[in-house]
Amino acid sequence: MADRSRHLIGLLLGAEEDWPQAFEALLQRVGPVTIDGREHEFGSRRLTIEPFDLNDPVRVGLVIDRLAYWYYHPREWLKKAALMNGTYLLNSPFTFQSMEKHSAYCAMLRLGLKIPRTVLVPYKNPVDNVRWAYTSAKYNRPFDLDAIAEDLGYPLYMKPFDGGGWRGVSRINNKVDLHQAYDQSGEMLMHLQATIEYDVFARALSIGAETMVMDFRPDEPMHNRYAVSHDFLSPSAGHQAVAISRIVNAFFGWEFNSCEMLVKGDSVHPIDYANACPDVAVTSLHYYFPWALSALVKWSVFCLATGRRTSVDLHTERYFDIADDESLDYDAKLEAYLALADEYFETTKYHEWCAAHLGDFDLRVRDWVAGPDFDRLIRATVTSTYPAHEHDKFHAHFKGLTDLWLADQAG
């Protein structure tokens, strides 16, 4: 009888219910995987929040975290689990805490990526602390907000330096918008960021070694933001969008993250790429939802079965050596960064391993999406999300789009 390893995946959740149910259902369809005579079995559990001793054992071998960026108690538990118990974390709380959007901008500017000009301005209202008030009164220099905006050029965007869920993001078209948004920012620390005239707003969702670049329409209602469009970027821009998303993730040790980019012709400009809780809801991803959940299951299983280890050391000097190499142009640097990212994600090994050990998993995913359990998930999600008079409309909308995905896969 083969030796057996049982692996447990922890789900650290907020208010979500659709994708966790899908993940749990698809994980059950993985089945035992035999590697070198050892049989690997996989299960999951939803994690609860409770007091913990720093020496407590941790049962889960891997955690998919959707909560700890905002909720500090489980964030500290994740750090303890990673440092003391070797628990694998798809997103590092260490780097998400220290490398929020501001630091991420700085790091990618250091690599020479085409980040729009960005200015950090002081708080409108300093944090309510007597020492901050004293420091602000004594050392904050007066500045001309209008002059900064004029220099960046209208329209521009004001958004928090740490961000999250589009909180506090405003499009600034003129001086009135500028002062209204700044006055409302209160104790949030804000960036002003230039924009460019773009052809396409692209959003890339990366899960481990897989990336899907989607045509994103931010002005549409959430259920209609992701257009089902397969050739909306040129080959060069498409390659850059995939590469940039993976480079960002490998640089920071993020393995479940989205990257937003403005694309003009073949020029790709990243504008937002530190998303600790990227969108994977069926009511927004719809057509792309089965791919996302399949990738999440496969990457989790791969990490556990192969004994992949998390490192808190980023080795940024390897990227900076490339950035400082004057013999390389932009495209050559991007390819060199991508080679480091593929090394980090073990991209070739991952795809070969999935082909060898999960060869029919994609068919199992298609069978599940075509079956009654997935239909019930859509109905339950629509019922809990939309008013009663819209249930039939949105069920037909999401079912139609996922049926389109099934037809495309079959084709």
Side-chain angles (χ1 to χ4, degrees):
M1 185 176 178
D3 293 335
R4 183 172 298 174
S5 293
R6 292 182 173 86
H7 304 283
L8 193 59
I9 297 169
L11 303 180
L12 186 57
L13 305 172
E16 305 146 301
E17 193 57 45
D18 55 349
W19 80 260
Q21 287 188 26
F23 181 90
E24 291 159 348
L26 293 178
L27 186 64
Q28 292 176 4
R29 285 158 173 76
V30 170
V33 174
T34 301
I35 305 172
D36 298 329
R38 177 175 289 273
E39 191 174 84
H40 296 261
E41 296 177 344
F42 305 91
S44 64
R45 61 175 291 193
R46 300 191 182 194
L47 300 178
T48 55
I49 300 164
E50 53 198 277
F52 63 90
D53 188 309
L54 272 59
N55 290 303
D56 283 346
V58 173
R59 289 187 58 209
V60 294
L62 179 148
V63 176
I64 300 173
D65 164 37
R66 304 281 292 177
L67 179 65
Y69 182 72
W70 296 275
Y71 202 37
Y72 295 162
H73 184 279
R75 184 179 73 187
E76 301 312 307
W77 179 84
L78 287 175
K79 293 177 184 175
K80 164 262 191 299
L83 290 172
M84 298 188 65
N85 307 96
T87 303
Y88 195 89
L89 308 179
L90 257 57
N91 279 341
S92 167
F94 304 99
T95 54
F96 262 117
Q97 183 175 356
S98 61
M99 297 288 189
E100 44 5 53
K101 295 183 188 296
H102 176 79
S103 300
Y105 285 145
C106 295
M108 294 302 106
L109 281 167
R110 176 72 170 83
L111 297 193
L113 298 190
K114 300 173 183 178
I115 313 299
R117 283 189 60 207
T118 306
V119 176
L120 184 70
V121 296
Y123 293 106
K124 171 63 179 180
N125 300 324
V127 177
D128 188 14
N129 180 297
V130 65
R131 293 183 179 179
W132 283 109
Y134 175 83
T135 300
S136 174
K138 186 170 183 178
Y139 294 109
N140 276 18
R141 295 188 62 181
F143 68 97
D144 190 334
L145 185 66
D146 291 324
I148 295 172
E150 291 287 348
D151 186 49
L152 291 172
Y154 293 107
L156 55 89
Y157 284 85
M158 184 181 294
K159 47 189 175 180
F161 86 107
D162 51 352
W166 293 67
R167 170 181 60 88
V169 177
S170 300
R171 178 181 170 92
I172 308 299
N173 295 305
N174 49 50
K175 288 184 179 182
V176 174
D177 291 348
L178 176 71
H179 287 277
Q180 182 178 24
Y182 188 55
D183 289 345
Q184 292 175 352
S185 67
E187 294 183 359
M188 289 189 291
L189 188 60
M190 306 299 280
H191 280 134
L192 295 181
Q193 187 172 76
T195 190
I196 64 167
E197 293 298 325
Y198 62 90
D199 301 320
V200 178
F201 191 125
R203 192 173 206 179
L205 176 60
S206 286
I207 300 172
E210 296 195 47
T211 300
M212 181 68 70
V213 182
M214 296 166 283
D215 185 352
F216 190 67
R217 301 171 297 187
D219 295 330
E220 291 284 331
M222 184 59 75
H223 69 274
N224 208 33
R225 286 186 182 176
Y226 292 91
V228 179
S229 177
H230 303 303
D231 298 307
F232 63 96
L233 295 177
S234 70
S236 173
H239 176 72
Q240 290 178 60
V242 171
I244 288 168
S245 184
R246 292 184 183 170
I247 290 163
V248 165
N249 289 355
F251 184 94
F252 294 110
W254 301 336
E255 301 186 2
F256 186 14
N257 187 44
S258 62
C259 178
E260 295 174 358
M261 294 158 278
L262 303 180
V263 182
K264 179 70 174 177
D266 288 338
S267 189
V268 180
H269 303 260
I271 59 167
D272 183 5
Y273 43 85
N275 296 298
C277 190
D279 180 16
V280 284
V282 69
T283 51
S284 51
L285 284 190
H286 46 72
Y287 178 92
Y288 299 101
F289 182 79
W291 166 81
L293 271 293
S294 174
L296 191 58
V297 169
K298 288 190 287 188
W299 181 251
S300 300
V301 167
F302 167 77
C303 291
L304 288 169
T306 61
R308 183 173 165 87
R309 291 285 176 260
T310 301
S311 173
V312 297
D313 301 316
L314 297 181
H315 302 293
T316 56
E317 71 282 352
R318 301 176 68 197
Y319 291 85
F320 294 154
D321 287 344
I322 296 169
D324 294 338
D325 188 341
E326 296 182 356
S327 70
L328 301 176
D329 64 12
Y330 178 80
D331 290 336
K333 288 180 179 179
L334 203 66
E335 292 306 307
Y337 298 144
L338 181 57
L340 293 182
D342 283 334
E343 177 187 321
Y344 172 82
F345 286 113
E346 303 178 283
T347 302
T348 300
K349 177 182 177 181
Y350 166 77
H351 288 293
E352 291 175 348
W353 189 91
C354 287
H357 300 288
L358 299 174
D360 65 346
F361 181 68
D362 289 342
L363 288 175
R364 298 183 191 186
V365 173
R366 284 159 56 182
D367 288 343
W368 181 74
V369 173
D373 289 345
F374 183 65
D375 185 60
R376 280 191 288 269
L377 184 147
I378 291 179
R379 286 191 179 277
T381 304
V382 166
T383 299
S384 64
T385 306
Y386 300 100
H389 69 278
E390 293 184 332
H391 288 176
D392 289 343
K393 179 183 91 170
F394 280 110
H395 174 263
H397 177 74
F398 299 124
K399 188 68 168 62
L401 286 165
T402 50
D403 283 350
L404 176 61
W405 178 84
L406 283 169
D408 287 347
Q409 298 304 302

